[in-house]
Amino acid sequence: MPNQPIKVEIRSYQVGFGDCFLLSFIYSARMQRHVLIDFGTTELPSKGTKSPKPSTYMPMVAADIQRVCGGDKGRLTAVVATHRHADHISGFGTDGRTGESGSIIKALRPKLVLQPWTEDPDAAKDATKATRVSNRSRKGFVAGLASMHEVARQIAALAATNPPWMSAAVRKELAFIGQDNIANLSAIENLIAMGEARGARSRYLNYGDSSGLDALLPGVSVRVLGPPDLTQTEMIRKQRDRDPDQFWHLLAGTQHGATGRGLALGLKGRTRAPEERLPIEGRWFRDRLEKMRGQQLLEIVRSLDSQMNNTSVILLFEVFGKKLLFPGDAQLENWSYALEDAPDAAEVRDLLADVDVYKVGHHGSLNATPRTLLWERFKKRKGRQLQTLLSTLPGKHGHTASNTEVPRRTLLERLETESHLLNTNDLSFGATPELCNLLTLTP
C-alpha cells in the first residue's frame, strides 16, 4: 500500500451561492480516497432561459462526484458539512428541492461524516429540554441555535407574503438570508443517517479534536482549527459586525446592533388602518415606523446568519509538504481563537503562514478572511504561489454602499493580484454548464 498520495485533485463545483469541494487523494490508478466538503446552494447563476434549476442541476453535480469516486460501486471516504447553512448542506437533502441529490451522495457510503459540535444530535435532543439551562452551556447554545432557525423561518415566511410596508430590496434580502438559515431537515437527517450507516461513523468537532481522517488517508494529516466550543471561548456567541483592523473596509457612520425589537411588532402581517381613519401626519409617521421594522428584521436575520457561520469547521490538510486550508464560512471570532487565544495559537500562526491552497472563507465576505491575522501572513502570496479557491455568486449578499458586498471588492482585488485564483463564477452556465474548476497538486 502506498504510504502517501502521488497527487491530489481538488474540484470546486459551480453551485452558485454555495460551496461544494471534492478532494481526491490519488495513491495509484486503483487506490484513491475522496473527501467531499460541503454540498449546497441557495441560488444558481441565471445565464439564459435554459439555465437548469437546483432540482435538475444538483443531481448533475452529485452524479459527477459519483463518477470521480468510481461510479455505481465507488465510495466516498468522508463527507464534511462545515455548518448548517443551506448554501453548504442543501444538496445533501433527499427531497424534491434539490432533485434528491442527497440520495446519490448517500449511495457512495461515506465511511466518516464530520460536522461541528453544535450538530451533535444527542446535544440537540438534550437542548430541547434545556429551557432553564444557561446559554453559557453547550445545551443552551444549541437550543439558542434551534430558536434562531425558527425565527428565520417565520421571517422568510413573512417576506413571502409581500407585505405592503416592506420594500422590494428588503424583501429580497430577507428571503435570501432567511432561507439560508432555515433548518434543512432533509439534509440534516440524511447526514445523520450516513454517519449511522453500517461501517460508518460520525464525529462532531471542535478546535483541537481528532478528525478521524488521518487513519483513512495514508500520508495525510488533518488538523481541526475550529470551531471552538464554549469551554474554549465564548467569542463565538457574538459576531463583531465591524473590526477596523481585520475587516476589508473602513468604518463610516454609526452602526446599529442586531435587535429583536422588530419581532415585538408581530411576524404575521397586519392590515393597515384605513386611510380615512388615519390623519395625514400619522401616515407619514406610520410609513417610517414600518420602514424601521423592515430594517430591524434585516438586522435580526443578519445576526442569525453570522452566528451560524461562527460554528464552521476549519480543517487544515497537510500532504507531501503542501498545506490546504478549508475554513467553511468561519468568521472572525472563530479565527481569533485559533490564531490569538488558543494555547497553541503561535504554532497555528506558523503553520498557516506557508499555506499552499486557501478556500476563501464565506464566498469572499468582508469578515471571513481576517486581513492582518490571516491574509497578510500568507507568505506564498509573493509571486502568486498561493492557490485560492472561491465559490460565490455576486450580487446576492450585502451591499456596495455599505462595503458589505459579497465577494468584497477589496478582497477580490487582492485574490486576483496576489494569488492564483480559481473562481467558480468564471465558469460558463446555461444549457451545458461547466461543472467545476480542477486544481491538481503534485509533490
Side-chain angles (χ1 to χ4, degrees):
M1 177 183 293
N3 57 11
Q4 75 168 18
I6 57 175
K7 69 176 178 178
V8 176
E9 295 177 345
I10 304 175
R11 287 171 173 81
S12 307
Y13 282 95
Q14 168 62 287
V15 286
F17 200 95
D19 266 8
C20 180
F21 297 89
L22 183 66
L23 281 62
S24 298
F25 300 88
I26 314 298
Y27 295 86
S28 67
R30 300 184 63 181
M31 180 178 171
Q32 302 181 12
R33 300 287 186 268
H34 307 279
V35 178
L36 178 61
I37 302 180
D38 290 334
F39 183 28
T41 184
T42 47
E43 188 164 344
L44 296 173
S46 54
K47 299 180 179 178
T49 57
K50 295 184 179 180
S51 296
K53 297 178 180 180
S55 58
T56 56
Y57 181 73
M58 297 303 276
M60 292 169 58
V61 174
D64 194 70
I65 293 169
Q66 183 183 55
R67 176 192 64 79
V68 175
C69 292
D72 292 342
K73 296 183 179 180
R75 187 164 195 181
L76 275 166
T77 301
V79 161
V80 182
T82 59
H83 63 296
R84 191 185 283 203
H85 274 152
D87 60 326
H88 290 256
I89 70 168
S90 64
F92 293 118
T94 57
D95 55 11
R97 284 179 294 179
T98 53
E100 301 182 16
S101 53
S103 297
I104 300 174
I105 303 302
K106 185 178 182 181
L108 290 171
R109 301 166 294 124
K111 297 179 181 179
L112 183 63
V113 178
L114 302 178
Q115 297 187 74
W117 65 268
T118 51
E119 297 304 311
D120 187 339
D122 291 334
K125 289 174 184 175
D126 289 342
T128 62
K129 304 174 184 177
T131 55
R132 293 188 298 274
V133 174
S134 164
N135 66 2
R136 297 172 64 88
S137 73
R138 274 193 172 204
K139 291 188 289 185
F141 186 79
V142 173
L145 293 179
S147 298
M148 288 179 182
H149 288 307
E150 177 59 19
V151 170
R153 185 190 68 78
Q154 293 188 52
I155 291 176
L158 173 64
T161 66
N162 194 16
W165 50 266
M166 186 180 290
S167 72
V170 169
R171 184 169 64 253
K172 180 180 178 181
E173 189 168 0
L174 280 177
F176 184 81
I177 303 177
Q179 287 292 337
D180 198 24
N181 282 276
I182 294 174
N184 295 268
L185 187 59
S186 177
I188 292 166
E189 290 179 342
N190 193 31
L191 286 164
I192 292 173
M194 286 190 284
E196 292 180 345
R198 184 176 181 181
R201 55 183 171 146
S202 292
R203 284 181 183 260
Y204 300 95
L205 305 174
N206 59 265
Y207 181 95
D209 277 349
S210 169
S211 69
L213 284 168
D214 298 51
L216 300 174
L217 303 172
V220 181
S221 66
V222 183
R223 187 155 178 168
V224 180
L225 299 180
D229 71 6
L230 299 176
T231 66
Q232 296 170 319
T233 181
E234 293 201 359
M235 288 183 69
I236 61 171
R237 290 187 182 285
K238 182 179 180 182
Q239 188 242 4
R240 282 179 278 179
D241 60 350
R242 295 293 185 272
D243 189 306
D245 185 46
Q246 301 302 336
F247 291 178
W248 295 81
H249 72 300
L250 298 175
L251 296 182
T254 59
Q255 303 296 329
H256 300 285
T259 173
R261 286 177 295 171
L263 291 178
L265 298 176
L267 284 174
K268 295 183 179 180
R270 290 187 178 184
T271 58
R272 286 185 170 183
E275 298 294 336
E276 64 273 11
R277 290 172 50 193
L278 196 63
I280 190 167
E281 64 272 17
R283 297 174 210 165
W284 180 92
F285 189 55
R286 176 204 61 197
D287 291 344
R288 277 144 186 81
L289 283 177
E290 289 178 340
K291 183 177 179 181
M292 287 176 60
R293 180 186 175 195
Q295 291 300 320
Q296 287 173 338
L297 292 177
L298 264 180
E299 290 173 356
I300 290 169
V301 294
R302 285 171 181 160
S303 178
L304 307 189
D305 188 65
S306 298
Q307 189 76 12
M308 190 57 65
N309 286 334
N310 273 333
T311 69
S312 282
V313 170
I314 303 174
L315 296 179
L316 176 67
F317 295 80
E318 294 188 62
V319 55
F320 45 64
K322 296 187 183 297
K323 296 177 183 177
L324 324 175
L325 180 59
F326 284 79
D329 282 0
Q331 305 280 7
L332 184 59
E333 288 74 17
N334 205 333
W335 282 119
S336 293
Y337 183 76
L339 298 174
E340 292 185 305
D341 302 324
D344 54 353
E347 177 189 347
V348 173
R349 290 195 297 271
D350 290 341
L351 271 175
L352 298 187
D354 57 353
V355 157
D356 296 271
V357 178
Y358 170 54
K359 197 291 292 189
V360 180
H362 196 205
H363 320 288
S365 76
L366 60 87
N367 57 352
T369 302
R371 180 169 55 84
T372 59
L373 273 180
L374 188 67
W375 179 258
E376 292 181 355
R377 293 177 182 271
F378 286 150
K379 297 177 182 178
K380 294 185 179 179
R381 294 182 297 113
K382 297 180 179 179
R384 297 181 66 199
Q385 300 175 67
L386 178 66
Q387 307 269 1
T388 53
L389 310 173
L390 177 60
S391 180
T392 194
L393 186 62
K396 299 300 177 185
H397 209 322
H399 302 282
T400 54
S402 57
N403 295 328
T404 58
E405 76 278 9
V406 178
R408 180 75 182 105
R409 176 182 50 80
T410 50
L411 172 58
L412 189 58
E413 289 173 355
R414 300 284 290 272
L415 291 168
E416 292 173 339
T417 58
E418 299 180 9
S419 74
H420 180 256
L421 174 64
L422 289 175
N423 188 346
T424 58
N425 194 55
D426 294 333
L427 295 169
S428 65
F429 204 74
T432 55
E434 288 183 88
L435 291 179
C436 67
N437 284 315
L438 174 62
L439 174 63
T440 300
L441 304 174
T442 55

